[in-house]
Amino acid sequence: MTTVPDKERLLAQVGFVVEIDKLKRVLRRNTLMDGSRRENDAEHSWHLGMLAMVFAEYAPADVDLARVTSMLLVHDIVEIDAGDTFIYDLTEVEVQEKAERAAADRIFGLLPEDQTVTLRALWDEFEERTTPEARFAKAIDRLAPIMANYNSEGGSWVRHGVTADQVMEKVEIIREGSPALAVYATEIVESSVVRGHLAPGRG
Amino acid sequence: MTTVPDKERLLAQVGFVVEIDKLKRVLRRNTLMDGSRRENDAEHSWHLGMLAMVFAEYAPADVDLARVTSMLLVHDIVEIDAGDTFIYDLTEVEVQEKAERAAADRIFGLLPEDQTVTLRALWDEFEERTTPEARFAKAIDRLAPIMANYNSEGGSWVRHGVTADQVMEKVEIIREGSPALAVYATEIVESSVVRGHLAPGRG
């Protein structure tokens, strides 16, 4: 019979897996596309993984898509401790960064040391956006709420009075990772202004 | 300025991405590990993707982990039409298979044809369990609810009067994909019987 090679190691991995179950309870500002309730970070991360798969052809050539997917599955885990940040609130974003680093230390630190290093490196890579993989992953992460708001009559844009200029700043981040997806996002923004779901210019 | 190479293609992909948002509303029998509410298929699929990453070392040598992860992200999408099946209800399982194939036809069929084929092949591979990747993915899928029930005082085992023998049949499926994880799952089953969260033998 096969035995578990290292029980202590396995139990550390199980402890991490149990801990990150909490990501299912971290709520985001946007709703599901049908508007029925707020979206949580775990189901959001699944959706991003699927977007990366479906939109893979719009990534730069030679991008390692497996690493993109891994980054997307991991990137919100720090919000178990640090909570969700509304990306249009700049004050909150600065305070948030420190809290997220502390969260990364604690949560990835539950894993065996080699895996702590690997997952932390994935999270750092996503945050730093210096590789094509990280830029494409971030583009997917920025595109998803734009698509969600477009498909739920303006969603959190309407509720929080977000303007087209503010969303276009996010579209520039999409452009760094995927010019083609930025073209599509720009069309959504223009169409949302016409529909009255996004205030034109600065609020 | 970059243009979207094929607008019709992109819109089919967007249609699929919007459609699968519904997976966030398909509820499973088990709860979150804290017992606060039932788990949905989308967040469950995210969790499985993370388990595959963390437990990768217990996969057979030379397994393509990226394909394992893709399978796990895709495998429940058919439940948007076909609903969740309780794996201990065999009658329901048979009826379900036909409904799931029809769902796969419809939902993957929303994509451009080449991607319909790719994602359908991933789903078929997972269901058929003839490759090491599919067997490891299925092992992860079977392990997760066992871990969730163990960490929520028996969870759906207690609510539905599931017996140790029934869970051990699922452990045999885990063993096909990962002998090491089957050893761990067996320990959970034995411990759950001792704790009174799982009825010994047949119910």
Side-chain angles (χ1 to χ4, degrees), chain B residues 4-75:
Chain B
V4 174
D6 181 342
K7 189 66 184 285
E8 194 183 345
R9 180 174 172 85
L10 175 64
L11 289 182
Q13 292 164 330
V14 169
F16 174 79
V17 160
V18 169
E19 178 65 20
I20 64 171
D21 200 73
K22 294 176 182 168
L23 196 62
K24 300 168 186 171
R25 290 188 280 137
V26 178
L27 298 183
R28 295 164 48 78
R29 302 284 178 113
N30 62 285
T31 64
L32 303 192
M33 287 196 188
D34 72 351
S36 60
R37 62 167 172 80
R38 284 168 68 187
E39 188 184 32
N40 72 59
D41 270 347
E43 62 196 2
H44 164 68
S45 300
W46 164 77
H47 209 186
L48 297 187
M50 287 303 306
L51 263 72
M53 205 183 299
V54 169
F55 291 142
E57 66 204 75
Y58 309 118
D62 303 325
V63 154
D64 177 352
L65 267 164
R67 206 160 87 246
V68 171
T69 303
S70 298
M71 260 185 256
L72 288 170
L73 296 184
V74 164
H75 84 290

Side-chain angles (χ1 to χ4, degrees), chain A residues 48 51-60 68 135-144 146-147 168 170-189, chain B residues 1-5 9-11 13-14 17:
Chain A
L48 297 187
L51 263 74
M53 207 183 299
V54 169
F55 291 141
E57 67 204 75
Y58 309 119
V68 171
R135 282 193 287 262
F136 184 64
K138 186 68 96 174
I140 293 290
D141 186 41
R142 287 290 174 262
L143 178 63
I146 293 174
M147 288 179 60
M168 283 308 296
K170 308 308 167 192
V171 173
E172 290 315 309
I173 293 173
I174 296 174
R175 201 178 315 279
E176 290 175 23
S178 174
L181 291 179
V183 172
Y184 170 60
T186 303
E187 290 178 9
I188 287 183
V189 170
Chain B
M1 187 167 182
T2 312
T3 54
V4 174
R9 180 174 172 85
L10 175 64
L11 289 182
Q13 292 164 330
V14 169
V17 160

Side-chain angles (χ1 to χ4, degrees), chain A residues 184-198:
Chain A
Y184 170 60
T186 303
E187 290 178 9
I188 287 183
V189 170
E190 288 165 357
S191 168
S192 297
V193 170
V194 172
R195 292 181 182 189
H197 294 155
L198 202 51

